[in-house]
């Protein structure tokens, strides 16, 4: 560690303390050249969880963006805000587990995960989300998707 006072790279650690529930280590150091004492902090640098877009671009996973899409699909449906929050958290957890090895998930995988969960939770929200996610162009695509529920008789 470079001394902030004289720039020397020779120092010794005087004291170490764990902070922030074990996520950070605070170290008191003393420069061996000038005896200046200073503090350094050590923390784990995690790679962000990424979403791979259809065109190959990568961007950090944004739970707020996921939540917004799900809330829009569930708008004016008989699903409480706490249920929506739990639902979003469940999807986020599953997405991270699916992409654990590579620290990324494709938008296709994420979309399918949301659709499978919405299918169980609320059929109308499922159709709303599917219409945007699958880019429905006409009424026939809606009808085809609704018929997957058994002719819409559920």
């Amino acid at each position: 560690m470079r001394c902030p006072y004289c720039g020397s790279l020779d120092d010794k650690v005087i004291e170490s303390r764990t902070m922030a529930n074990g996520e950070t280590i605070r170290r008191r150091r003393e420069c061996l050249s000038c005896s200046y004492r200073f503090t350094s902090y050590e923390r784990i640098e995690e790679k962000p969880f990424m979403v791979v877009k259809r065109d190959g671009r990568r961007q950090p996973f944004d739970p707020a963006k996921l939540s917004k899409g799900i809330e829009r699909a569930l708008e004016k449906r008989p699903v409480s805000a706490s249920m929506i929050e739990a639902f979003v958290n469940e999807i986020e957890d599953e997405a991270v587990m699916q992409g654990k090895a590579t620290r990324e998930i494709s938008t296709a995988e994420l979309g399918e995960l949301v659709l499978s969960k919405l299918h169980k939770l609320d059929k109308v929200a499922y159709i709303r989300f599917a219409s945007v996610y699958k880019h429905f162009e006409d009424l026939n695509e809606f009808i085809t998707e609704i018929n997957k529920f058994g002719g819409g008789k559920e």
Side-chain angles (χ1 to χ4, degrees), residues 24-127:
T24 304
I25 297 175
R26 175 185 178 264
R27 298 194 194 278
R28 286 293 294 156
R29 298 174 178 269
E30 183 177 351
C31 177
L32 296 175
S33 297
C34 70
S35 298
Y36 182 75
R37 290 186 174 196
F38 59 99
T39 303
S40 66
Y41 294 91
E42 225 176 271
R43 60 183 65 82
I44 295 172
E45 182 181 359
E46 282 194 41
K47 290 177 17 181
F49 188 68
M50 303 297 279
V51 175
V52 181
K53 308 292 266 179
R54 287 188 175 133
D55 64 5
R57 287 180 299 127
R58 285 172 168 70
Q59 66 182 48
F61 176 78
D62 184 359
K65 193 172 179 181
L66 175 67
S67 181
K68 184 179 171 187
I70 291 170
E71 285 173 7
R72 186 165 292 152
L74 287 164
E75 195 171 12
K76 297 183 182 178
R77 298 300 302 151
V79 181
S80 70
S82 62
M83 280 180 67
I84 292 172
E85 184 179 341
F87 184 78
V88 170
N89 289 338
E90 185 180 327
I91 290 171
E92 182 178 354
D93 291 345
E94 282 194 35
V96 170
M97 290 307 294
Q98 268 186 6
K100 192 172 190 171
T102 59
R103 302 278 311 144
E104 62 186 31
I105 189 168
S106 70
T107 54
E109 291 171 310
L110 188 57
E112 290 300 324
L113 182 60
V114 172
L115 283 174
S116 70
K117 298 279 185 195
L118 278 176
H119 188 272
K120 295 173 193 160
L121 181 69
D122 187 283
K123 305 297 190 242
V124 171
Y126 170 87
I127 294 297

Side-chain angles (χ1 to χ4, degrees), residues 1 9 13 15-16 19-21 27 35 39 55 58 64 69 72 91 95 101 106 120 122 126 129 132-133 137 143 147:
M1 181 75 54
L9 291 173
V13 175
E15 172 192 7
S16 292
M19 301 176 63
N21 297 324
R27 298 194 194 278
S35 298
T39 303
D55 64 5
R58 285 172 168 70
R72 186 165 292 152
I91 290 171
S106 70
K120 295 173 193 160
D122 187 283
Y126 170 87
F129 192 87
V132 173
Y133 172 70
E137 297 291 328
I143 293 169
N147 285 336

